Amino acid sequence: MKEIYGNTLGLKSSEQHRLRNTYRRRVSPHEIVSPELARHLTELSRETNRQVGVLINRKGDIEHVVVGNAHKLELPDIGRARAGQIRLRGLRLVHTHLKSEPLTKDDLTDLALLRLDCVAAVGVGDEGLPGVLHFAHLVPENGTGEFWQVSTLPSVHVEQPDLMATLDALEEEFNRKAAARKVGGREKAILVAVCLNGDRGQAEASLAELKELARTAGVEVIDSVLQVRREADPRYLIGRGKLEDLNLRSMQSMVDLLIFDKDLTPSQGRHIGEATSLKVLDRSQLILDIFAQRAQSAEGKLQVELAQLKYRLPRLVQSDDSLSRLAGGIGGRGPGETKLEIDRRRVRERITHLEKRIDAISRERSVRRAQRNRRELPVISIVGYTNAGKSTLLNAITNAEVLAENKLFATLDPTSRRLRFPQEREVIITDTVGFIRDLPKDLVAAFRATLEELYDASLLLHVVDAADPARDEQVEAVENILESLGLMEKPRLMVWNKADKMAPEDVEALLRSRGGVAISASTREGLASLLAKADTTLFAEGATEAIGAV
């Protein structure tokens, strides 16, 4: 005899016997629930004062009988939360509501997360007779943002819609949407930001930057969500209700991953992944992925791999419960080193190996720098926020052919070119990796061999996108990173790029208040003035003291 699931404590043996007899009943595949089954359920519900439900398959057979309390029903485990994006589960839930209330949020959430064919609630009327019938089914992605369609019939005895025809039409539409998605080929994502300090404007600017990062990584952004909270949720970062909404939205839009603007702790990433069955990334992981795509040289690939391993080491968890984690002692003899410990040890060994190789690269770079210093060639390093136009400036000044795109971190490997000033004077000009807010610490540490080029610079050209509304925050982010590297004492020249996108009076006001040079690297406007100031700074007597005025 099949068992009864749920809250069976306190049921009489006669009630349990009648509940088991429910398995003998059948329903037409084309109707939601038959009047006979509805009456059987409402009579049991009235007698026990509990919600009673059944899960019915497409053939009309009853697969599970479930008993809840007076307010809700706990469904048995019927497999993974995400059954599939094309087909529905093949089960419909029919249960009773003691006060004939409409479908609850729990009912609709179960419908979406379990991808049930349909959820129906039969109201319990006087003397246990079936009353009103509320039912709902999922709908494909639409412009209204609705996840489901809810309908109501006054009674189970009136004509019901053809359920099989509805389900066939729904699955055909889901299939068509999935086929259209495969043609695109790119991963779909929802971006999630949390504002904890009350500064919504700053959070929105950071979210816009995350969108650019996602575009650079080749991700199609479907939606973005910003939640204002007093403090972060220790388990999910965002609220549980917002996470459920994200889950529903992702299932309807066939989204592959969630990207969070904040760095997640290892436990937060694990819990969000378990709750949504989606791939979860945070800002640091996204930046590391972009760096992995952009790294061209062997040195760049080494540095990216080191940063990724350092990030992943604390996030290695045991996924197979059958592997023992016991570490000796009574009851723990025998298994030896677990797979988790082996994985961690291998990662640590690889990190040590990569650090030694990067140290060797750093020594080689220092030798090359010493040779340049013996020739007394001044070095100009271009620094700045990512996508500010550093590579475009290098190309414009030296006629180089460095990759320059309207993407974040288009240039990863440093590029050096020789530049000849008037009076037969030469300098080395170097383009470095771009900076960004909240640049992962592991990434800064891994790229120390590249950033060491800045220590020997005679002049830093700080390139800023003057037309960006968030330019002040970007300047502050770059200066914070330079200060952490001990480079704030270096002579610096502010270069306000993309000035052609601003009104002339705004450019003049910017130069009066902040100093520096206004240019447009793409149109080459203002380059002569920039080179003249750099020449004066590098070669004139008292150049270092004059930097402040520049």
Side-chain angles (χ1 to χ4, degrees), residues 288 291-312 347 349-365 412-414 442-450:
L288 288 170
F291 272 55
Q293 292 180 37
R294 296 287 178 176
Q296 300 295 326
S297 66
E299 174 190 345
K301 291 176 181 177
L302 283 178
Q303 294 174 128
V304 170
E305 184 186 356
L306 175 60
Q308 287 180 323
L309 288 176
K310 282 188 172 181
Y311 181 87
R312 290 173 182 167
V347 169
E349 289 172 354
R350 181 65 178 166
I351 287 174
T352 304
H353 173 69
L354 290 174
E355 286 177 338
K356 288 180 179 177
R357 291 184 63 179
I358 290 173
D359 286 339
I361 291 171
S362 182
R363 288 193 294 271
E364 293 169 7
R365 282 185 175 276
L412 187 58
D413 298 309
D442 292 333
L443 204 56
V444 176
F447 274 75
R448 70 183 187 278
T450 300

Side-chain angles (χ1 to χ4, degrees), residues 11 91 144 148 224 293 303 305 316 361 391 417 439 458 483:
L11 290 178
L91 293 173
T144 63
W148 42 65
S224 57
Q293 292 180 37
Q303 294 174 128
E305 184 186 356
L316 282 177
I361 291 171
S391 298
R417 294 289 185 271
L439 192 65
S458 308
E483 185 174 5

